[in-house]
Amino acid sequence: MRPALARIDLDALRHNYRLARQRHGGRALAVVKANAYGHGAVRCAWALADQADGYAVAFLDEALELRAAGITQPILLLEGVFDAAELAAVAEQGLWQVVHHEDQIRMLEAAPLAAALPVWLKVNSGMNRAGFVGPAVAQAWQRLQASGKVSDITLMTHFARADEPQVISTAEQLAEFDAATRELPGPRSLANSAAVLGWPDAHRDWARPGILLYGADPMPAEGNGLRPVMTLESAVIAVREIPPGSPLGYGARFVAEQPTRVGLVAMGYADGYPRTVPDGTPLTVDGQPSRLIGRVSMDMLTVDLTHLPAAGIGSRVELWGKEVPVNRIAAAANTISYELLCNVKRVGVRYEGGEA
Ligand SMILES: *Cc1c(COP(=O)(O)O)cnc(C)c1O
């Protein structure tokens, strides 16, 4: 069997959720959108089922997958509903919805609902992507209240730059949120992972941690005690020696300067390992530090074994995980851990741990 594998450490996931809840206080929705950032939404949701106050996903189908798998806790749709049919499904499945746009209020007002539904009203406090601004927040709140279709309203907002501790933007968003919601009762939810870890002023009734659950610290200082959940690994499947001056791989990007022992690894960009990383990108071979050399291909990549005489066919190669922080690879690829984790596909998946 091809050795390319994503190992998912569900004990680490449980640890990270507990840590988020402790750091924030109050309750926490485990954000499991995008197939739990590539980790498997159903398995991750089940591993957290005895601890989680609820879950958040992007849209209805992601919530229905969890309900079909037997998850009974609250599930919030972060984008809310797109049409009246979805609203009926939300009511039937007992889901929670974000309302960020006037169309969604209209849909609620027009819906023939048997019972009133909980709603999370989104405040645009400065990200300018979704939500109501300033006085429109209270107007939206009044309309929801008057519709008779809404049971209780949680007030929420989302930060654009909470992962930048030196930047004033988050404090400004906090002030804007507080000003727009001053007269309104009900629970609040502000903090994503970065705000859970770095902005105690943003800690209110509900946290919404995502990336931190998966052990990738969004703050530049890191050191928050998160445990990586995914380890992306494979093995050396062939070895060759190339003399100085020999090119390696597509485009001959790497050319050997000295006799070089090259390990061929079953992992490529079709598995989600980024094609854009340069020569020298870190990885480990049998636990020893080494480096990528040559361009990443669709199914394979090549690593330097010159300094590792004991390594050979079958040697384990970690692309990211407990030995190689995913944030290092994200930086090398000029992206963020989120994108790398979401993009993992085609590889085998092995779950470990996760029992209470
Ligand atoms: C995705 C998302 C989150 C989680 O963000 P992280 O940075 O992964 O913690 C929280 N809130 C909203 C509205 C989101 O869309």
Side-chain angles (χ1 to χ4, degrees):
M1 202 169 74
R2 187 168 182 257
L5 192 63
R7 292 176 180 274
I8 308 295
D9 179 350
L10 296 172
D11 291 331
L13 179 75
R14 290 170 57 78
H15 164 86
N16 296 336
Y17 179 83
R18 272 196 303 275
L19 186 146
R21 220 167 167 282
Q22 278 163 10
R23 287 286 287 266
H24 183 272
R27 291 183 281 176
L29 295 180
V31 180
V32 294
K33 63 190 176 187
N35 200 27
Y37 295 42
H39 294 68
V42 167
R43 293 298 298 260
C44 289
W46 267 114
L48 295 173
D50 65 325
Q51 315 180 57
D53 304 303
Y55 303 93
V57 297
F59 57 96
L60 178 66
D61 290 41
E62 292 185 328
L64 294 180
E65 186 192 10
L66 297 182
R67 281 282 183 265
I71 295 292
T72 56
Q73 285 97 325
I75 305 174
L76 176 66
L77 311 185
L78 291 167
E79 285 183 342
V81 298
F82 297 94
D83 54 47
E86 289 203 348
L87 198 47
V90 161
E92 188 186 311
Q93 297 290 328
L95 303 171
W96 295 357
Q97 60 186 309
V98 167
V99 167
H100 65 81
H101 189 270
E102 205 195 330
D103 279 353
Q104 293 171 323
I105 301 183
R106 258 182 248 124
M107 278 183 237
L108 270 165
E109 287 170 337
L113 296 175
L117 304 176
V119 158
W120 287 43
L121 178 60
K122 186 147 186 182
V123 177
N124 169 17
S125 58
M127 191 168 181
N128 293 328
R129 190 180 62 167
F132 298 87
V133 191
V137 176
Q139 286 160 17
W141 192 94
Q142 300 294 355
R143 253 180 94 175
L144 290 170
Q145 205 62 16
S147 72
K149 306 294 171 62
V150 171
S151 53
D152 45 302
I153 303 176
T154 301
L155 296 161
M156 71 176 290
T157 195
H158 194 51
F159 296 120
R161 303 183 69 178
D163 56 346
E164 299 176 87
Q166 310 303 332
V167 165
I168 190 76
S169 155
T170 302
E172 289 173 346
Q173 284 198 254
L174 269 169
E176 174 62 31
F177 174 84
D178 286 338
T181 58
R182 185 151 294 128
E183 307 296 321
L184 303 175
R188 268 81 170 143
S189 174
L190 281 65
N192 58 358
S193 296
V196 167
L197 297 171
W199 293 92
D201 288 354
H203 295 176
R204 303 291 162 90
D205 303 283
W206 287 90
R208 305 186 311 270
I211 194 69
L212 87 70
L213 299 179
Y214 309 103
D217 196 322
M219 300 306 277
E222 303 196 12
N224 282 304
L226 305 178
R227 285 166 50 184
V229 176
M230 182 193 293
T231 297
L232 185 66
E233 65 179 36
S234 190
V236 174
I237 57 170
V239 177
R240 84 179 57 237
E241 305 256 359
I242 59 173
S246 298
L248 175 62
Y250 283 116
R253 182 178 74 178
F254 177 86
V255 178
E257 282 174 10
Q258 52 172 34
T260 299
R261 206 161 157 259
V262 180
L264 182 65
V265 178
M267 176 69 65
Y269 62 77
D271 303 300
Y273 188 84
R275 180 177 172 279
T276 49
V277 294
D279 292 331
T281 298
L283 47 83
T284 57
V285 178
D286 290 334
Q288 302 300 310
S290 186
R291 59 178 186 143
L292 178 98
I293 49 175
R295 252 191 205 142
V296 175
S297 327
M298 186 180 288
D299 314 311
M300 290 178 271
L301 54 78
T302 38
V303 303
D304 190 358
L305 302 180
T306 310
H307 62 298
L308 299 171
I313 291 176
S315 286
R316 175 184 171 274
V317 177
E318 180 175 312
L319 288 316
W320 67 63
K322 302 197 189 297
E323 295 165 1
V324 183
V326 67
N327 280 339
R328 297 253 338 245
I329 307 306
N334 200 17
T335 185
I336 52 175
S337 62
Y338 301 66
E339 188 184 26
L340 295 187
L341 296 170
C342 287
N343 278 345
V344 171
K345 53 191 176 295
R346 198 175 72 166
V347 301
V349 183
R350 184 174 302 161
Y351 290 93
E352 290 154 4
E355 284 81 41

